Amino acid sequence: MTAPVRFDGGTLHALCTRLYPLPRSLTGPGVDATLELLREHLAERAPGAPALERHALSSGTQIFDWRVPEQWTPRSAWIRGPDGIKRADFAAHSLHLVGYSEPVHARMSLEALQPHLHSLPDRPDWIPYRTSYYQRTWGFCLTDRERRSLPPGEYEVFIDADLGPGELAWGEILLPGETDSEILLWAHLCHPSLANDNLSGLSVATAVAAQWAGSRHRHTLRVVFAPATVGAIAWLASNGRARTNIAHALVLSNLGDAGGFHYKRSRDGDAELDRLFEHLFASGAGGEAPALEPFTPYGYDERQFNSPGIRIPAGCLTRTPHGRYPQYHTSGDDLSFISPGALADACELVWHALSALDGNRHYVNLAPFGEPQLGRRGLYDSLGGENERRENQLAMLWVLNQSDGSHSLLDIARRAEVPFERMRAVADSLLDAGLLQEESAPRRPTTTSSGAPTTGCDGSEVS
Ligand code: ZN
């Protein structure tokens, strides 16, 4: 079996650290700065690979049932109290300004300002994350402790921002494989300084792309970094042809915290990717107590891919899912909340899953009349110690028995309860020995080999 690929957690966390202060939103300079940094990072990590490309649609463009929103360009924002102290300064923390706040420069009493302030009374030391994309307003977020200490009196409120026609942008890397069949990795890039719910997905997807670029694969890998919801809808609306090539999509988020892995199934619940994660978790690849979650039409962008008009089977991989940790959508989701080890393990799991998808094949046994003589071909002795040999023998017998062109290696691994990588390794040995041939057009499972009508035990014809 091939050695597992290791990822460097320090590099992953360092990338998150560089991305953290950039003031991301649905649109605007934070998105462009993020894409530029990811492009540079990929060029360093995978020289020679196709560059990350920026794509954009203009504000107002119709995208299915939506329109591309206006562009928000925040520059500076703060409130200044009667004591002359600037507070909720956007330059100090990008969460201080409500996303898509309209420009304001006014003086008002603390009472008049209060409806525009947001804090978390039950978590008094964290700044909440708030946006108002589709309703024009303005506001500031601050810790509840600071809010309660605001002196009464007159406040100067200043938001220097543009909100008007512009662009909605996303970044994309396409790493061509031997076929057009694509695996899509998707991560949102619209959250400002939030580490787990944003930067972890960006960094894991980037590291996996850099690794993928360094070797040959059957599948083409497409990695997209886009603003959530409207970004996914914009991408789907402007990639009608490309999206038909996507065989599997995996949305990545919340991968840096200390929680166990969660895989959320696709809409049908039984896509190849769903069965693969079921198998990987059952065979120990997801660490301690990984969990499979049913599909729900809420969450991240998997719900756009899984919509009835699109039907791209999309799963979502996280550690602790969104909304299930107290730091979620607050300044508590900072760089100390994500760890290098958690990020590296997440990369390894994604890599493992992508490698398995890429290596999943249907085979036909070329000596299907009874068992072929494995010993004569040296297949019994070639593989490792006694236990290892026994497990490989059994795996080989499973592959030979089930390879009638209708069962994939993943199907066989699941049925035999043998890790996919072992199945793949023994299938490679059987291929080398001339006992298997790849089936390019997998067959439907059959119950008889004669082609005669199947009869039930009472002699009636079962159709
Ligand atoms: Zn979020």
Side-chain angles (χ1 to χ4, degrees):
M1 281 183 276
T2 50
V5 171
R6 311 301 299 177
F7 288 82
D8 178 29
T11 304
L12 286 151
H13 199 274
L15 177 60
C16 293
T17 305
R18 292 175 70 199
L19 291 167
Y20 184 75
L22 303 177
R24 280 164 295 274
S25 183
L26 279 192
T27 60
V31 170
D32 283 335
T34 299
L35 292 177
E36 185 53 28
L37 209 159
L38 293 174
R39 195 187 61 74
E40 276 171 25
H41 182 84
L42 269 158
E44 272 166 34
R45 308 295 301 177
L52 182 149
E53 288 184 8
R54 179 186 184 275
H55 299 264
L57 288 181
S58 301
S59 302
T61 307
Q62 186 78 41
I63 41 171
F64 296 133
D65 200 42
W66 296 55
R67 277 184 193 279
V68 173
E70 294 189 313
Q71 181 176 316
W72 186 54
T73 306
R75 282 181 288 268
S76 170
W78 40 261
I79 57 176
R80 182 154 45 200
D83 53 5
I85 297 174
K86 264 189 196 174
R87 294 182 174 85
D89 189 347
F90 181 59
H93 203 303
S94 65
L95 287 178
H96 277 313
L97 182 59
V98 170
Y100 268 65
S101 281
E102 56 189 353
V104 178
H105 193 188
R107 292 182 175 278
M108 63 188 68
S109 66
L110 179 59
E111 291 69 41
L113 177 60
Q114 282 292 1
H116 292 279
L117 301 182
H118 306 275
S119 64
L120 299 167
D122 54 338
R123 296 183 184 111
D125 293 312
W126 291 341
I127 307 165
Y129 167 47
R130 295 278 186 276
T131 61
S132 187
Y133 297 140
Y134 301 108
Q135 199 180 354
R136 281 215 169 194
T137 184
W138 59 268
F140 288 89
C141 301
L142 66 175
T143 69
D144 199 61
R145 202 174 297 283
E146 182 165 38
R147 185 181 185 175
R148 280 189 280 111
S149 72
L150 292 175
E154 192 181 65
Y155 279 73
E156 182 182 1
V157 176
F158 180 71
I159 299 175
D160 177 15
D162 289 336
L163 189 52
E167 286 185 332
L168 176 135
W170 65 87
E172 194 162 338
I173 316 154
L174 189 69
L175 302 171
E178 291 160 9
T179 69
D180 289 338
S181 180
E182 286 187 18
I183 301 173
L184 172 68
L185 288 183
W186 188 274
H188 62 282
L189 89 164
C190 52
H191 290 32
S193 303
L194 294 165
N196 200 34
D197 181 16
N198 206 163
L199 304 182
S200 68
L202 296 180
S203 67
V204 168
T206 302
V208 170
Q211 185 68 35
W212 189 272
S215 42
R216 280 170 64 105
H217 301 279
R218 186 168 284 197
H219 285 84
T220 291
L221 182 67
R222 188 186 293 267
V223 183
V224 180
F225 308 107
T229 309
V230 70
I233 290 168
W235 187 88
L236 288 167
S238 43
N239 283 278
R241 261 177 79 93
R243 70 178 198 243
T244 60
N245 287 335
I246 299 172
H248 322 277
L250 185 62
V251 173
L252 301 174
S253 185
N254 297 313
L255 289 165
D257 66 275
F261 287 109
H262 287 68
Y263 172 79
K264 174 180 158 181
R265 292 175 189 272
S266 71
R267 180 174 184 257
D268 293 339
D270 194 35
E272 189 176 340
L273 192 59
D274 300 328
R275 286 181 275 121
L276 173 63
F277 270 97
E278 211 175 280
H279 174 69
L280 290 179
F281 285 177
S283 52
E288 269 177 49
L292 293 161
E293 302 256 313
F295 176 74
T296 57
Y298 191 63
Y300 291 101
D301 285 321
E302 67 279 3
R303 63 196 210 250
Q304 314 308 338
F305 302 115
N306 283 306
S307 61
I310 303 292
R311 287 179 179 268
I312 293 173
C316 178
L317 184 70
T318 64
R319 286 179 174 277
T320 309
H322 69 94
R324 296 195 211 164
Y325 52 93
Q327 294 86 347
Y328 175 73
H329 280 190
T330 77
S331 58
D333 179 6
D334 64 10
L335 292 164
S336 67
F337 185 61
I338 60 171
S339 72
L343 293 167
D345 288 351
C347 285
E348 277 156 32
L349 178 59
V350 173
W351 182 261
H352 195 150
L354 264 52
S355 304
L357 284 175
D358 203 55
N360 194 20
R361 309 265 194 277
H362 288 75
Y363 292 109
V364 178
N365 178 347
L366 296 176
F369 304 103
E371 275 174 21
Q373 253 191 315
L374 299 180
R376 175 160 66 83
R377 296 174 168 90
L379 288 166
Y380 270 150
D381 346 292
S382 58
L383 305 150
E386 199 181 331
N387 276 348
E388 183 82 357
R389 212 159 42 229
R390 200 173 321 112
E391 285 176 31
N392 282 329
Q393 265 176 31
L394 189 57
M396 238 175 239
L397 294 175
W398 271 110
V399 172
L400 288 166
N401 181 276
Q402 294 288 297
S403 289
D404 56 8
S406 70
H407 303 106
S408 71
L409 267 189
L410 175 60
D411 297 333
I412 304 169
R414 279 160 50 91
R415 179 158 179 191
E417 297 180 357
V418 168
F420 180 84
E421 285 308 306
R422 183 180 297 278
M423 280 304 183
R424 191 174 170 183
V426 300
D428 285 347
S429 305
L430 293 168
L431 266 178
D432 290 346
L435 286 170
L436 288 185
Q437 178 181 304
E438 187 175 352
E439 174 68 51
S440 53
R443 305 165 195 173
R444 291 181 161 279
T446 50
T447 49
T448 63
S449 57
S450 66
T454 310
T455 50
C457 57
D458 61 354
S460 64
E461 189 173 313
V462 181
S463 61

